[in-house]
Amino acid sequence: MGYRDTIFALSSGRLPAAIAVVRLSGPHARIALKLLINKEIPDRSPRLVAIKGGDGALLDRALAIRFDGPGTATGEDIVELHLHGGRAVVDAVLATLGAIAGLRPAEAGEFTRRAFDHGRLDLIEAEGLGDLLAAETEAQRRQAIGQAGGGVSHQVATWQDAALNIAARIEAAIDFSDEDDVGDADVAAIHAACAALGGEIGLWLARPPAERLRDGIAVAIAGPPNAGKSTLLNAIVQREAAITSPIAGTTRDVVDVAVAIAGVPYRFLDTAGLRGDTDDAVEAIGIARARAAAAAADLVIWLGDDDAPEHAAVIRVAAQSDRRDGPDWDARVAHADIALSAVTGENMQRLLDLIGERARALLPRDGEVALNRRQRDALAAVADSLDEAVRTRDLLIVAEHLRAALGAFDRLTGRARTEDMLDALFGRFCIGK
Ligand SMILES: Nc1nc2c(ncn2[C@@H]2O[C@H](COP(=O)(O)OP(=O)(O)OP(=O)(O)O)[C@@H](O)[C@H]2O)c(=O)[nH]1
Ligand SMILES: [Mg+2]
């Protein structure tokens, strides 16, 4: 796919800065560079150049690099200008570029779009790149670089090859069989290959989803009024995010605080104290929200007695250990995983360690790339088709299911890689077969 216009943009961060990088990509990138500096520079050799405006006035002395396509990030000719990072310098250069015929400012994501269109990266890698730019924690960065670096794409290519291999086996089995009489051994082998591939994909589908890493692990702090939930939230996130007071029923809305602890992203949710007997309509709404937040959370920190909500992951906390005042303190400790005080800090580190332990079980393991929703849906479609394929002995129908599986792989990568190969493969069947 060839684009006719050449795009340009400031590719580095906010101005003013020590250096600002302006990037051009497209068929006119080299000509534009020549117009700016009034000479040619060699491919992939940085040069200190004088950049001049349309009227010949010097705009900046800068570093210019020319990358001739197609072996570039976008697959097109690229030029990079490393300017002095003042606003006026950058504005003047951008204005000069905008006045050159065939050049226009890039839209958001357009360089990556061109890279995708020119086959420099697939959809999975593009998604990874987007996540990498958005990554705020170490765990997010590792996950994103795994996707952007082609880890998943490589795995998908291996699966595609395996599926194509099965398709070829089907063709061979049909070709070498007598009319309508395919050997049992052939069918069994093809079924086994489909099941093995489906099983492997199933393992990937069972991994924790990437969203949890992107959005943060949701931890709801819940319990009766005045248990010390908001005080605990503030201690965990180390700022006064929620109002605390001795008045029962202080917290009404869910207070949602994003924070990274030990490189892991979390969303801590402080909730209204749960009690059944309120006549306050607003508090009742808050309690309904609290229950919903706890039910939807990945992890619940429960500050109540032995009546913790039904949830797959609960940490029971006996809070306000510095007080130990109620007659039921010993009973509360007996029901709890941990006794702590958000005021004195006693056992707070242990709580964070406990949360970290539970979080690790909910997150992709180190070195294991996780899949996002779109990727999981496409792979689930592959797995379904393979599942269908082993339910029939009619190899032509098995071949149809494989075609569907390969189509889902293509949707996953955004590349129609397999259709042509399949046409070539099955085009050799005689009509009616
Ligand atoms: N001494 C001591 N006081 C605490 C501790 N935690 C909370 N408190 C006090 O207990 C009272 C209630 O604390 P909050 O954090 O507002 O309780 P809550 O569970 O958020 O209450 P609601 O929002 O009303 O449901 C406040 O006066 C806090 O200062 C603690 O660990 N030690
Ligand atoms: Mg509160």
Side-chain angles (χ1 to χ4, degrees):
M1 183 180 304
Y3 288 96
R4 262 179 293 159
D5 44 358
T6 295
I7 52 175
F8 63 90
L10 174 65
S11 292
S12 52
R14 197 144 40 124
L15 303 176
I19 294 169
V21 179
V22 168
R23 199 150 67 129
L24 291 72
S25 177
H28 297 103
R30 283 172 60 181
I31 298 169
L33 177 64
K34 198 176 167 201
L35 284 173
L36 285 182
I37 65 176
N38 212 8
K39 62 175 180 182
E40 290 270 13
I41 62 170
D43 181 29
R44 289 174 166 76
S45 300
R47 287 287 188 274
L48 186 64
V49 295
I51 295 182
K52 302 223 167 103
D55 57 359
L58 182 66
L59 300 180
D60 193 17
R61 274 184 215 289
L63 197 67
I65 317 173
R66 190 184 113 194
F67 301 93
D68 292 354
T72 62
T74 58
E76 303 178 317
D77 287 349
I78 287 182
V79 166
E80 276 184 19
L81 304 171
H82 296 225
L83 308 166
H84 290 99
R87 283 197 190 90
V89 173
V90 173
D91 284 350
V93 172
L94 292 180
T96 306
L97 288 173
I100 299 174
L103 266 64
R104 66 167 173 82
E107 285 161 25
E110 215 177 353
F111 286 91
T112 310
R113 173 75 209 229
R114 289 190 173 195
F116 172 76
D117 286 338
H118 292 125
R120 301 300 295 173
L121 42 71
D122 66 18
L123 263 190
I124 301 170
E125 291 162 321
E127 282 170 334
L129 194 59
D131 289 345
L132 193 58
L133 296 179
E136 290 185 356
T137 72
E138 179 58 16
Q140 287 169 340
R141 184 194 63 74
R142 280 203 303 267
Q143 158 70 17
I145 198 107
Q147 294 223 355
V152 181
S153 304
H154 182 76
Q155 179 60 61
V156 170
T158 310
W159 287 332
Q160 281 177 306
D161 288 344
L164 274 167
N165 236 319
I166 301 174
R169 267 160 108 169
I170 295 172
E171 190 209 14
I174 295 173
D175 269 2
F176 288 110
S177 67
D178 300 334
E179 278 297 309
D180 300 327
D181 180 24
V182 179
D184 283 346
D186 284 336
V187 175
I190 287 163
H191 278 174
C194 288
L197 181 56
E200 207 181 305
I201 291 170
L203 289 180
W204 274 67
L205 285 172
R207 288 181 177 183
E211 286 81 6
R212 219 177 254 145
L213 201 50
R214 192 192 59 201
D215 304 338
I217 293 184
V219 184
I221 304 175
N226 257 352
K229 301 180 296 299
S230 302
T231 308
L232 182 60
L233 171 84
N234 293 347
I236 290 173
V237 305
Q238 298 186 356
R239 67 184 174 86
E240 298 298 306
I243 299 170
T244 65
S245 90
I247 303 164
T250 300
T251 305
R252 300 292 177 90
D253 257 332
V254 176
V255 179
D256 183 337
V257 186
V259 64
I261 301 174
V264 175
Y266 293 94
R267 283 172 54 214
F268 283 94
L269 307 164
D270 180 27
T271 62
L274 301 177
R275 58 177 164 187
D277 57 352
T278 182
D279 342 312
D280 183 324
V282 179
E283 188 182 1
I285 295 170
I287 290 173
R289 288 189 179 184
R291 290 192 201 283
D298 298 309
L299 182 59
V300 174
I301 298 181
W302 177 250
L303 273 69
D305 297 332
D306 57 350
D307 47 353
E310 296 251 334
H311 193 282
V314 180
I315 297 176
R316 292 175 184 75
V317 170
Q320 311 196 22
S321 62
D322 58 303
R323 277 181 159 169
R324 298 169 196 261
D325 45 6
D328 54 347
W329 173 252
D330 289 340
R332 281 175 53 209
V333 172
H335 290 301
D337 298 305
I338 181 171
L340 59 76
S341 167
V343 168
T344 65
E346 183 193 359
N347 267 341
M348 279 301 294
Q349 187 53 50
R350 254 196 72 206
L351 175 68
L352 295 183
D353 292 345
L354 261 182
I355 294 171
E357 254 170 52
R358 302 288 181 97
R360 262 193 294 286
L362 297 168
L363 287 175
R365 269 180 269 166
D366 241 357
E368 247 185 24
V369 182
L371 304 168
N372 66 27
R373 166 110 244 159
R374 190 191 70 79
Q375 296 162 350
R376 284 200 306 279
D377 286 350
L379 273 187
V382 173
D384 284 349
S385 297
L386 290 170
D387 209 39
E388 291 288 326
V390 298
R391 288 174 202 276
T392 171
R393 291 183 40 82
D394 183 335
L395 286 188
L396 285 177
I397 296 179
V398 176
E400 261 321 300
H401 289 308
L402 269 165
R403 195 181 268 271
L406 285 158
F409 277 133
D410 283 350
R411 284 202 299 285
L412 176 57
T413 59
R415 298 250 169 269
R417 173 174 174 235
T418 50
E419 196 54 33
D420 294 347
M421 295 166 88
L422 275 178
D423 282 346
L425 192 61
F426 289 105
R428 287 190 277 143
F429 285 166
C430 38
I431 293 176
K433 244 194 176 169

